[in-house]
């Protein structure tokens, strides 16, 4: 599911996930099958738009297409909020790629507030 969530242009995220850089992985079962997962972390560094540190961070959330629009993502985010409270964290943050309008719509629908947009640049110096 991680490779479906993070495209080949984000292979480093899949590698980080598989190497257990994101230590809190949760699966969602329905009808005896794993149909969704969520990856959380606790970020100690500055997270754009947050007021405190550390913060709970939604590294990824994925629901199989056949199970989308059934409220599973909402249940997972409710779980994430409760998990964060138990960790004594005050905020849950996330991000997505600028062109991923589906993820942006999902974040808004789940109650996230957009805090910024960025465009990054790089240049070779050799």
């Amino acid at each position: 599911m991680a490779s479906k969530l993070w495209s080949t242009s984000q292979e480093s995220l899949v590698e980080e996930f598989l190497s257990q850089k994101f230590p809190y992985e949760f699966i969602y079962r329905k009808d005896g099958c794993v149909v969704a997962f969520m990856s959380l972390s606790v970020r100690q560094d500055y997270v754009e738009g947050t007021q405190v540190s550390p913060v709970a961070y939604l590294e990824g959330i994925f629901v199989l297409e056949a199970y989308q629009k059934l409220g599973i993502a909402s249940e997972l985010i409710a779980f994430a909020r409760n998990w964060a409270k138990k960790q004594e964290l005050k905020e849950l943050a996330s991000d997505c790629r600028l062109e991923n309008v589906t993820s942006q719509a999902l974040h808004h629908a789940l109650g996230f507030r957009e805090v910024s947009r960025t465009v990054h640049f790089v240049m070779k110096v050799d």
Side-chain angles (χ1 to χ4, degrees):
M1 284 189 192
S3 61
K4 289 181 181 178
L5 172 62
W6 294 302
S7 69
T8 55
S9 66
Q10 297 170 292
E11 286 177 4
S12 62
L13 284 173
V14 176
E15 289 172 18
E16 289 176 7
F17 174 80
L18 294 174
S19 69
Q20 300 178 341
K21 180 182 181 243
F22 309 143
Y24 306 103
E25 311 300 332
F26 303 94
I27 59 172
Y28 186 101
R29 294 179 194 271
K30 188 166 183 76
D31 305 323
C33 298
V34 175
V35 300
F37 89 96
M38 175 176 60
S39 178
L40 298 173
S41 69
V42 176
R43 293 209 178 173
Q44 305 288 335
D45 54 332
Y46 173 71
V47 174
E48 188 76 32
T50 60
Q51 302 298 311
V52 297
S53 182
V55 297
Y57 203 85
L58 177 63
E59 299 290 349
I61 187 169
F62 181 83
V63 179
L64 291 173
E65 189 173 354
Y67 292 88
Q68 292 176 5
K69 302 195 187 297
L70 299 176
I72 293 172
S74 293
E75 287 183 54
L76 287 169
I77 293 303
F79 175 88
R81 292 180 72 177
N82 287 328
W83 175 86
K85 285 179 192 176
K86 288 179 183 175
Q87 308 298 314
E88 299 183 358
L89 301 170
K90 305 293 183 201
E91 294 178 289
L92 173 62
S94 184
D95 66 34
C96 71
R97 296 175 66 86
L98 205 53
E99 67 274 5
N100 191 342
V101 294
T102 301
S103 181
Q104 291 173 37
L106 176 67
H107 279 80
H108 286 290
L110 294 172
F112 284 93
R113 177 180 53 86
E114 185 175 318
V115 295
S116 71
R117 289 182 172 248
T118 60
V119 177
H120 303 268
F121 299 92
V122 67
M123 169 190 296
K124 296 243 186 244
V125 295
D126 53 342

